[in-house]
Amino acid sequence: MPASPELQREMLRQMQTIRRFEERASDDYQNGAIYGVVHCYIGEEAVAVGVCSALNIDDQIISNHRGHGHCIAKGADLNRMMAELYGREDGYCKGKGGSMHIADFSIGMLGANGIVGGGLSIVTGAGLAAQLEGKDRVAVCFFGDGASNAGSFHESLNIAARWKLPMLYVCEHNSWAASTSSKMTHAADDVAGRAAGYGMPGVVVDGNDVLAVYEAATEAVARARAGEGPTLIECKTYRWRAHTERPGAADPRPAEEIAAWMARDPIKHLVDDLKQQQGQYSDAEFQALDDQVLAAVNASVAFAEASPFPAPEAALDDVFAD
Amino acid sequence: MSMREISYARAGMEALVEELQRDPTTIHLATDAPPSLVEEFGAARIRATPITENAFSGIAIGAAGSGLRPIVNWSMVTFCFVAMDQIVNQASKIHYMFGGQQTFPIVFRSSVGGGTSLAAQHSQSPYSMFMNLAGLKLILPSTPYDMKGLLKSAIRDNNPVLSFESTRLMGFKGEVPEDDYTVPLGVADVKRTGSDITVIALAWLVHEALAAAEEMAKEGVSVEVVDPRTLFPLDNETMRASVQKTGRLVIADEAGPTAGASAEIAALIAEDPATFRALKAPPKRVCALQVPIPYSPTMENHVFPDRTRIIAGIREVMEAG
Ligand SMILES: Cc1ncc(C[n+]2csc(CCOP(=O)(O)OP(=O)(O)O)c2C)c(N)n1
Ligand SMILES: [Mg+2]
């Protein structure tokens, strides 16, 4: 089922939101308002948005260290996200998590995760819960090409296939794991090919084409809801920025490679699609959208700045649940 | 309450069956699906997993965060080490790291201890490694009564709880009520009252300490045996009150002493001013020797503490003051 014009515009809004949110997060990280580490998703927006557009609010996703895009695409509140990055009391995790650990269980966002490969099995448990509760829910794992070589990938995909869990495993293949090229680490570069070994479908998608991602995800979600089990979707994409926003961090990727992928901007791709398909989509309209998005991002910063820092003693809260 | 005698292993199984009956959101994950459980609760809830301790420990976390109450059995504690990422990096921190927004009720069961000539990999008592992490509760039952009551509390608790169960005690029989009961986490049990010396003993060593106390009574030494039962939360008050009463302390543990539960207990006793002032002699630890556990019985028996060594420890402390 192709995405409706309204849905396509919503996808564009989300992708632009991810980009503007992260541009701001990067700036505020450089100027010291955001601590620790920030991994940007810019350039890969079509993956999170394409997949999450095929999901319902009660479907669940899990993310990795590069999680802002997944959060926004699943419908997370920008204010609480920014407040978390700012380390404030009104952040999603009350300032205990930061960029690498944003979660919102109320919208099925089971958390970013600082351990590469750590989320694969956890979200498989969400798939098991969906199956046992008979709720028609699906669970989705976002993970990188780097994570695809961790043991938890094999363990989890085999179990999900054997138990026919309602799941999507979405590999964001950006060809790099920190400063190491996948050419050095992958015996076969296509991760999707491994699906055959688990008896599940594996598909390779242009991860910079949000509509292609959406279509692949829609099909996989339908399979999952029909009780036919998991699908491995490999999205070929690229991150525009260095592995982290840390100033001066080495980025060994060839400049031509970066430039070639930046020429394939997923946002521009959708804008061009909209212009072609619907004729009436204009640059002015995109400008208006961008103004709205920037206003929302600015509002999230204002919200974060207005939120107090947690009391030092709050460090002792929430070690255990009641 | 009417009682009957059942084994430690049976008590664990009863806790499981009753809690699976009581709460339909409980599920069981292990590389072996106990046939009796499959028969009663079905293969959907009682899952035989592939040999993937990392994956099924993580699956338990995700299922718990999605509304289920998983009970995981790693079988021997040995096998949980391939799941350390999920235990250390995920389960122990996930509630805290996400600002308390979700609960993760999970029980991870495993057997601990030696005495079975299974050599180094299959004879381990690593509970203190997990005491060192904030965010996990730890139980270590020594009797069938405690096993059933603690395990039920663990299953009903809204946090990840690790249940360490003594291999040596699996066949040990004791009285267990017919009716439903629980043993709260964090409450030690005085297994024998005495006035001259306290032995704080863990799991199998509780029984060795009781035997030692019986022996010492013949010599006119009155030994109090305290079983913490849970290593987190650890019942400081009961342990300190006992030592304040007797003024002397032996700590007995099947694990090695270095950074062990015994070390933590000794520190908790010594750093409390009132308890420190009540001490008549330095505390004494009776633990396994700090080596991997050897296979051949002559060496294995040499490495583990037992009633004889506890008696020697008691004598040493009594003579010291
Ligand atoms: C188990 C583990 N090893 C190493 C790291 C350090 N690390 C963080 S992100 C990363 C690269 C991950 O690459 P990939 O999975 O492809 O995701 P990407 O960053 O490309 O989105 C590494 C090595 C880690 N967080 N966890
Ligand atoms: Mg990568």
Side-chain angles (χ1 to χ4, degrees):
Chain A
M1 192 188 25
S4 68
E6 296 72 40
L7 181 55
Q8 290 186 37
R9 281 164 193 247
E10 174 57 19
M11 288 175 176
L12 187 60
R13 191 187 61 77
Q14 290 180 15
M15 290 201 287
Q16 189 66 9
T17 304
I18 294 169
R19 185 160 299 182
R20 292 299 195 194
F21 180 89
E22 286 199 328
E23 284 170 356
R24 184 60 188 261
S26 175
D27 286 350
D28 291 1
Y29 176 71
Q30 306 307 332
N31 68 33
I34 294 174
Y35 313 95
V37 68
V38 167
H39 300 87
C40 283
Y41 193 66
I42 292 175
E44 308 186 12
E45 298 93 342
V47 180
V49 171
V51 171
C52 291
S53 297
L55 302 179
N56 298 328
I57 182 79
D58 64 336
D59 291 326
Q60 294 166 299
I61 66 165
I62 211 160
S63 170
N64 57 3
H65 54 284
R66 203 176 296 290
H68 310 142
H70 308 131
C71 288
I72 291 171
K74 194 66 176 73
D77 177 24
L78 293 190
N79 292 351
R80 296 187 63 200
M81 282 181 68
M82 196 59 93
E84 187 60 33
L85 299 187
Y86 269 63
R88 306 302 172 103
E89 201 173 86
D90 297 298
Y92 263 119
C93 309
K94 304 179 194 163
K96 290 214 171 77
S99 168
M100 271 193 297
H101 303 300
I102 300 182
D104 183 353
F105 281 73
S106 71
I107 57 165
M109 165 55 199
L110 307 187
N113 203 311
I115 308 301
V116 170
L120 278 151
S121 58
I122 298 177
V123 73
T124 303
L128 174 61
Q131 184 184 65
L132 287 178
E133 288 168 20
K135 287 267 171 63
D136 224 27
R137 236 169 34 217
V138 305
V140 180
C141 186
F142 290 102
F143 61 100
D145 48 291
S148 76
N149 289 334
S152 57
F153 170 90
H154 165 66
E155 293 191 6
S156 300
L157 269 73
N158 176 59
I159 289 178
R162 176 62 190 81
W163 293 355
K164 281 197 181 319
L165 299 182
M167 302 209 50
L168 275 62
Y169 291 94
V170 180
C171 180
E172 303 178 315
H173 198 322
N174 59 16
S175 292
W176 291 86
S179 57
T180 302
S181 161
S182 64
K183 292 192 181 74
M184 298 179 71
T185 52
H186 287 57
D189 198 55
D190 277 2
V191 172
R194 301 181 193 172
Y198 304 113
M200 72 167 84
V203 292
V204 179
V205 186
D206 177 356
N208 282 23
D209 179 351
V210 70
L211 300 180
V213 174
Y214 172 77
E215 265 176 51
T218 303
E219 204 174 302
V221 167
R223 278 194 79 240
R225 292 204 210 282
E228 289 164 26
T231 303
L232 174 58
I233 300 176
E234 174 181 358
C235 299
K236 302 283 195 191
T237 185
Y238 203 77
R239 61 173 156 76
W240 285 12
R241 306 178 77 103
H243 175 55
T244 78
E245 295 304 299
R246 195 159 287 157
D251 187 352
R253 301 175 307 162
E256 321 79 71
E257 183 179 290
I258 300 173
W261 277 95
M262 286 180 74
R264 302 192 48 230
D265 178 0
I267 292 179
K268 183 165 180 306
H269 193 309
L270 181 56
V271 169
D272 289 347
D273 266 6
L274 282 168
K275 281 182 182 165
Q276 264 183 14
Q277 284 172 44
Q278 299 168 39
Q280 75 274 42
Y281 197 79
S282 65
D283 290 338
E285 228 171 320
F286 183 69
Q287 188 57 55
L289 169 77
D290 192 33
D291 290 345
Q292 279 172 19
V293 165
L294 277 172
V297 170
N298 289 337
S300 77
V301 172
F303 177 88
E305 284 171 339
S307 176
F309 279 102
E313 310 77 49
L316 301 178
D317 297 342
D318 291 324
V319 179
F320 290 100
D322 295 335
Chain B
M1 253 196 272
S2 74
M3 309 283 272
R4 72 256 136 80
E5 282 226 324
I6 59 171
S7 72
Y8 183 83
R10 178 79 222 147
M13 185 52 111
E14 281 192 7
L16 213 57
V17 169
E18 288 173 23
E19 294 305 300
L20 283 160
Q21 286 168 344
R22 184 173 172 272
D23 186 344
T25 66
T26 50
I27 61 167
H28 192 262
L29 299 169
T31 55
D32 297 290
S36 63
L37 294 185
V38 176
E39 195 176 320
E40 181 169 357
F41 302 103
R45 282 177 70 197
I46 311 300
R47 300 243 157 192
T49 66
I51 303 159
T52 53
E53 285 75 13
N54 183 287
F56 69 77
S57 300
I59 284 172
I61 297 169
S66 306
L68 299 180
R69 302 183 82 84
I71 302 156
V72 172
N73 196 330
W74 288 318
S75 177
M76 290 182 162
V77 75
T78 302
F79 310 135
C80 88
F81 291 114
V82 300
M84 281 305 256
D85 171 45
Q86 292 300 327
I87 307 161
V88 177
N89 289 326
Q90 315 290 346
S92 75
K93 301 167 171 54
I94 193 165
H95 176 74
Y96 183 84
M97 205 166 66
F98 294 154
Q101 63 179 287
Q102 187 67 316
T103 57
F104 295 86
I106 316 166
V107 174
F108 294 103
R109 299 181 71 192
S110 65
S111 65
V112 294
T116 43
S117 277
L118 286 173
Q121 289 178 336
H122 294 76
S123 311
Q124 306 196 65
S125 302
Y127 23 81
S128 70
M129 291 173 60
F130 301 95
M131 290 171 74
N132 195 243
L133 297 167
L136 300 174
K137 295 186 180 181
L138 314 173
I139 66 174
L140 183 62
S142 69
T143 65
Y145 180 93
D146 290 345
M147 165 73 104
K148 184 167 177 182
L150 287 171
L151 202 50
K152 280 177 161 256
S153 291
I155 295 168
R156 295 179 196 181
D157 198 276
N158 280 331
N159 295 281
V161 183
L162 272 52
S163 175
F164 298 107
E165 304 170 10
S166 169
T167 305
R168 298 189 199 244
L169 293 174
M170 287 300 166
F172 178 85
K173 289 199 166 157
E175 292 215 314
V176 172
E178 295 277 3
D179 299 331
D180 182 41
Y181 71 99
T182 58
V183 172
L185 307 186
V187 180
D189 189 33
V190 178
K191 292 280 197 261
R192 177 186 173 116
T193 53
S195 51
D196 295 327
I197 185 165
T198 299
V199 179
I200 298 176
L202 303 180
W204 168 64
L205 269 308
V206 169
H207 303 281
E208 293 301 291
L210 289 169
E214 203 60 40
E215 274 304 303
M216 294 309 295
K218 292 180 196 153
E219 297 176 20
V221 177
S222 170
V223 179
E224 177 146 305
V225 178
V226 177
D227 175 3
R229 298 198 288 197
T230 64
L231 294 176
F232 195 94
L234 196 49
D235 183 354
N236 281 340
E237 279 95 279
T238 301
M239 294 190 297
R240 285 172 177 167
S242 175
V243 176
Q244 284 177 27
K245 179 176 74 173
T246 63
R248 299 182 187 89
L249 174 63
V250 167
I251 308 164
D253 185 8
E254 196 178 347
T258 306
S262 62
E264 176 66 11
I265 291 168
L268 289 169
I269 294 295
E271 75 181 3
D272 179 53
T275 315
F276 181 78
R277 278 194 289 273
L279 284 172
K280 296 169 184 149
K284 168 83 188 165
R285 286 188 288 166
V286 178
C287 299
L289 306 183
Q290 195 71 31
V291 293
I293 304 305
Y295 162 69
S296 182
T298 53
M299 290 187 290
E300 185 181 30
N301 292 336
H302 178 66
V303 166
F304 282 121
D306 60 5
R307 62 190 69 181
T308 315
R309 280 197 201 157
I310 295 173
I311 289 170
I314 291 172
R315 291 216 169 98
E316 196 183 311
V317 175
M318 293 302 296
E319 279 160 23

